[in-house]
Amino acid sequence: MGLSAYLALAAVIFSIGLFGVMTRRNAVGILLGIELMLNAVNINLVAFSRFHGDVTGMVLTVFAICITVAEVALGLAIVILLFRTRRTAMADHVDWLKG
Amino acid sequence: MMLTVLLTPITVFLLLALVAPLRRSGRPAAFISILGALGTFGAAVQTWVLVDRLDAPIQRVWTWLPDSQGALATVGYLADEQSAIMILLVTLVSLLVQIYSLGYLSDEPAPAIGRYYVYQSLFAFSMLGLVLAPNLVQLFICWELVGLCSYLLIGFWYKKPSASRAAVKAFWTTKAGDVGLLIGIVLLWRHTGTFDFGELQQMAGAGLVGVDGLALITFCIYLGAAGKSAQFPLHIWLPDAMEGPTPVSALIHAATMVTAGVYLLVRMAFLFALTPDVLLLVAWVGAGTALMAAILACAQNDIKRVLAYSTVSQLGYMMTAIGAGFASAGFFHLLTHGVFKALLFLGAGAVIHAVGTNDITHMGGLARRMPQTMIVFLVGTLSLAGVPLFAGFLSKEEILAGVWAGGLTGPFVMLLMGAFLTAFYMFRVVFLTFFVKPAHASGHGHGHAPHDAPMTMGLPLWVLAAASMTIGIYFMLHHPAEAVEAPGWLAPVATGVALGGIALAWATFQRQIINAESLARATGPLRTVAAHGFWVDEAFVAVYRGILMTLAALVGWVDRYIVDGVLNVISAWTVSGGDGLRRIQTGKVQDYVLAVGAGVVAILWWLRGTM
């Protein structure tokens, strides 16, 4: 399998993630979508690293996974706080920034 | 010495204006000012003697605005035959008026007296600066300064609404003319490249002043003179200016400031000689003013307003003489008029001071109570009426001769009629004030019988009366050499006209052979017209209101529909634009993500060729 197969897989996963972010009404679903998009990027990084023989991509991937964990923890905390104060976890109910 | 003439009054002015305790002290300030005026008068006499002996003008100029070729504007003094004798008149009347005011304003509070003398000193300086000005720029500056002093002194009793209104009216009316003068001066400078009288005269003498466009320049200068010297239709401010204290009327609105216009035309006579059309206009307007003001004077009951209209009328005489090309005759009348009209005003002031009213129908029989005032007032009246042996006779005759020699038959007839009316209205005042029994027995102002004025007021009256007589007799004996040769019939005719006027007044008001009311009725519609002052004021108001209202309506329309309209459209666009933009900000994160995604796709699409 060539590089393009990995890239195609990553693109598909990224698109699925983006679609999820855009269409999911539940905030937890949106967070899952974001996870998919980030991991699609990770796949890209690992694939390039593998095919170019350069470990930098892998190191960066490990780094990105750590960041992702922190991000999910923060995101879920926000969702919980949101649910406590507003009794909802639906993103489209939260439109305080509406002009 | 010449500088003393200018520096003394300005020093007194600065001293009194800046040292407030001195000014508020009242009488000490007055004494300082009078002392200054005395010194100025002395210096003016010396100047006059010097100029007379040298028989040449004394000039000294300092550069004021430097320019690449010499000075653009200079300041200094120019004492020639005319200005030397003019400063003599100005300083003499100014001195006498300041002495007189000491008595006239004795009831005023001390700070007001101090303020009065500050203005008086400033006026003396500005007027002398105007007379001695060697160029048009200095003349214009002093011209405006005397206008300012006139404003301040008319409004001396500024708490009286009529006085402050009159002050504003005087200021604006003369200002209307002054704008013309300023334009004229600038145009003349562009035309000839100089402001200096001497250079202008040389250029005019050598025929270097182009005649093209000169008429406009002289007309503009005449406008300024017409405003200052109360020529029709800009004369309306002078009768109202009588709201000021009487000594002020004597000094500014009879003897000196109002003659500044005549003086300017005398100074510029060489230039006006090149534009005969404008001269003709000057003559006709002057004669019209002289006759019209004489008619108006007959319809007035306020002694000061009669004198004011008489001043307008006499200024008309001077202007007519200048218009006829005999500026020296006009200047001669300016000098004699300055003396005897100041005398008349100061005499009227003494009467007003004693009786407490300006209305001549409320006076009467004052001859016995105020014999001295009666005598000096009579001297002034005879002078003004143009009776031989008195100052006004010769100057008026010279004007008439000049106008006749200039071939202006129309103005000549008007002036002759004016002379008749002058004698009539002045003797009407004399008879009603001093001789007949008062028609309305009114309470006298001071609560006791009127009596002659105190020494401070009496002395100036006698000095001026003596001067009027002396000038009259002196010139009777030494007929001025440059005078016009009058036709032989003129002197008897002028005298006859004057005596006719006196006789009519005598028959009407003293003997009451002719009923005054029926005499007035005989003049028919003229009476109504005169009572309304020829509706000049109303015409001004109507024109002014018409122009102003039209302009205001126009400006209002532009403001309401164009300026406001543009702003309203812009604001409406802003509001609707903002409203539209508001809708795309839904507050939903996913919409923003969609927008970001769409944006990325759009950028990629845009960059597709370069990848």
Side-chain angles (χ1 to χ4, degrees), chain B residues 207-289:
Chain B
L208 291 175
V209 179
V211 182
D212 286 343
L214 196 61
L216 179 68
I217 293 169
T218 49
F219 177 73
C220 283
I221 292 174
Y222 171 62
L223 263 187
K228 215 48 141 197
S229 289
Q231 294 295 292
F232 180 87
L234 295 178
H235 67 277
I236 46 167
W237 65 273
L238 191 52
D240 286 17
M242 297 300 126
E243 289 290 342
T246 312
V248 170
S249 310
L251 174 63
I252 299 185
H253 307 118
T256 54
M257 189 200 79
V258 289
T259 58
V262 177
Y263 181 75
L264 174 65
L265 292 204
V266 171
R267 267 270 194 256
M268 307 291 289
F270 57 88
L271 208 63
F272 277 74
L274 300 175
T275 55
D277 295 346
V278 177
L279 273 187
L280 201 63
L281 177 79
V282 173
W284 276 97
V285 171
T289 308

Side-chain angles (χ1 to χ4, degrees), chain B residues 92-167:
Chain B
L92 174 68
V93 178
S94 166
L95 171 66
L96 293 176
V97 160
Q98 290 199 13
I99 296 173
Y100 179 94
S101 305
L102 211 53
Y104 191 82
L105 295 174
S106 55
D107 297 341
E108 294 290 320
I113 292 178
R115 184 163 57 88
Y116 177 83
Y117 280 94
V118 171
Y119 297 161
Q120 282 279 355
S121 299
L122 179 61
F123 174 77
F125 166 72
S126 340
M127 190 68 207
L128 292 169
L130 192 163
V131 172
L132 290 173
N135 60 56
L136 282 164
V137 177
Q138 187 185 337
L139 183 135
F140 185 76
I141 293 168
C142 292
W143 182 276
E144 292 299 329
L145 273 178
V146 290
L148 171 70
C149 295
S150 160
Y151 164 79
L152 291 171
L153 284 167
I154 295 169
F156 178 66
W157 287 309
Y158 56 85
K159 284 179 184 151
K160 207 163 79 175
S162 59
S164 56
R165 256 203 309 275

Side-chain angles (χ1 to χ4, degrees), chain B residues 301-315:
Chain B
N301 282 335
D302 183 325
I303 186 166
K304 284 185 72 184
R305 286 183 81 91
V306 174
L307 290 176
Y309 275 119
S310 133
T311 305
V312 176
S313 175
Q314 298 305 310
L315 291 167

Side-chain angles (χ1 to χ4, degrees), chain B residues 527-553:
Chain B
R527 184 194 190 196
T528 329
V529 171
H532 290 94
F534 285 87
W535 289 292
V536 177
D537 270 313
E538 282 80 356
F540 264 110
V541 170
V543 169
Y544 186 68
R545 188 165 290 164
I547 293 174
L548 196 69
M549 287 298 167
T550 318
L551 202 66

Side-chain angles (χ1 to χ4, degrees), chain B residues 550-565:
Chain B
T550 318
L551 202 66
L554 193 71
V555 170
W557 187 87
V558 168
D559 184 53
R560 202 165 301 131
Y561 293 101
I562 303 216
V563 177
D564 282 7

Side-chain angles (χ1 to χ4, degrees), chain A residues 12-57:
Chain A
V12 168
I13 292 174
F14 184 89
S15 301
I16 293 169
L18 186 63
F19 182 77
V21 169
M22 284 184 199
T23 53
R24 284 276 146 185
R25 295 179 65 219
N26 197 312
V28 179
I30 295 172
L31 279 176
L32 289 178
I34 292 172
E35 283 306 303
L36 281 180
M37 288 159 76
L38 281 166
N39 282 310
V41 174
N42 287 345
I43 289 171
N44 271 1
L45 285 171
V46 172
F48 279 122
S49 174
R50 178 87 171 77
F51 278 84
H52 288 172
D54 183 355
V55 287
T56 316

Side-chain angles (χ1 to χ4, degrees), chain A residues 18 21-25 30 91-92 94-95 97-99, chain B residues 582-583 585-590 592-595 597-598:
Chain A
L18 186 63
V21 169
M22 284 184 199
T23 53
R24 284 276 146 185
R25 295 179 65 219
I30 295 172
D92 57 353
V94 185
D95 56 357
L97 285 176
K98 185 178 179 183
Chain B
R582 192 170 64 87
R583 278 165 216 288
Q585 193 174 8
T586 57
K588 291 176 188 166
V589 183
Q590 286 153 314
Y592 301 157
V593 174
L594 181 64

